[in-house]
Amino acid sequence: MNTTETGVTTSVSRRVAAGREQEFLRWTDAGMAMAGTFPGFLGGGWLRAASDPEQYHVVYRFADEDTLDAWTTSPARKVWVGRGTGLAQDTVTHRLTGVEGWFEPQSTLTHAVRVTPPPPRWKQAVTIWLGFFPISLLIALFVTPRLTALDVVTRTLVASVVTTPVMVFVVLPFLTGRLRRWLHG
């Protein structure tokens, strides 16, 4: 799996200067809008850390490493970063490709040191299959038979719309938690 197929995400954790939160948010939104003008930009946003109201995590997603690098090294971004001087301090930056973020404990994504590297791709594939097979089987047994009046594209669309959030929010977190020793061993 290469990044041209899966995209690349970078997250920057920033500690906002006291009393400058609104200014920081306007600056961050302007940077996000500017990133949106660059080829390969797939989206982004920011989250405020629940445990630390001065800590924000800003996430940018690009089609591949080249388009992300074009944005991060651009003169326009350098000017934008310069305008943010004094608003916040970058505390850590992470770059993830593909589905490796599913296998990285979320707690390590906000610390400067990665606890463990992502598992080998074959272990990621096995883990995804272990979750995908039973969910797909359940969908095939209980959902798609009720959709026989629909064409195959619509049935597949419904099955994937049901399967994807179940996989991402329930099955993969459950499996990666149980298989952590094997994944990282």
Side-chain angles (χ1 to χ4, degrees):
M1 190 178 288
N2 65 44
T3 58
T4 59
E5 295 172 354
T6 59
V8 60
T9 301
T10 187
S11 68
V12 181
S13 294
R14 293 185 169 116
R15 178 164 299 287
V16 178
R20 300 195 72 185
E21 179 180 318
Q22 292 306 314
E23 190 178 354
F24 168 78
L25 293 176
R26 284 191 298 274
W27 173 76
T28 299
D29 289 343
M32 198 65 62
M34 191 239 338
T37 66
F38 278 73
F41 182 70
L42 300 176
W46 55 265
L47 299 167
R48 186 178 195 176
S51 60
D52 183 353
E54 293 177 349
Q55 189 78 24
Y56 283 78
H57 308 287
V58 184
V59 178
Y60 303 92
R61 184 157 177 80
F62 281 81
D64 53 43
E65 294 277 350
D66 291 338
T67 57
L68 174 60
D69 289 340
W71 175 70
T72 58
T73 60
S74 71
R77 182 181 176 275
K78 288 178 184 171
V79 168
W80 169 73
V81 168
R83 287 189 200 133
T85 302
L87 292 177
Q89 177 183 5
D90 290 6
T91 57
V92 64
T93 301
H94 291 279
R95 196 177 272 209
L96 300 172
T97 58
V99 297
E100 71 187 17
W102 288 343
F103 298 93
E104 181 68 25
Q106 292 301 303
S107 61
T108 65
L109 293 179
T110 59
H111 293 86
V113 178
R114 182 180 279 243
V115 174
T116 57
R121 295 276 184 191
W122 72 269
K123 287 185 177 183
Q124 293 179 34
V126 168
T127 303
I128 291 169
W129 179 84
L130 285 171
F132 189 74
F133 176 75
I135 297 300
S136 297
L137 184 59
L138 290 172
I139 296 294
L141 290 172
F142 299 108
V143 176
T144 54
R146 291 173 167 67
L147 306 174
T148 55
L150 302 174
D151 63 281
V152 70
V153 173
T154 306
R155 283 193 314 264
T156 305
L157 174 68
V158 170
S160 66
V161 165
V162 171
T163 302
T164 301
V166 171
M167 284 292 294
V168 171
F169 296 110
V170 178
V171 176
L172 283 174
F174 174 81
L175 284 175
T176 56
R178 269 61 191 173
L179 299 175
R180 182 149 328 280
R181 295 181 89 189
W182 174 72
L183 285 165
H184 296 286

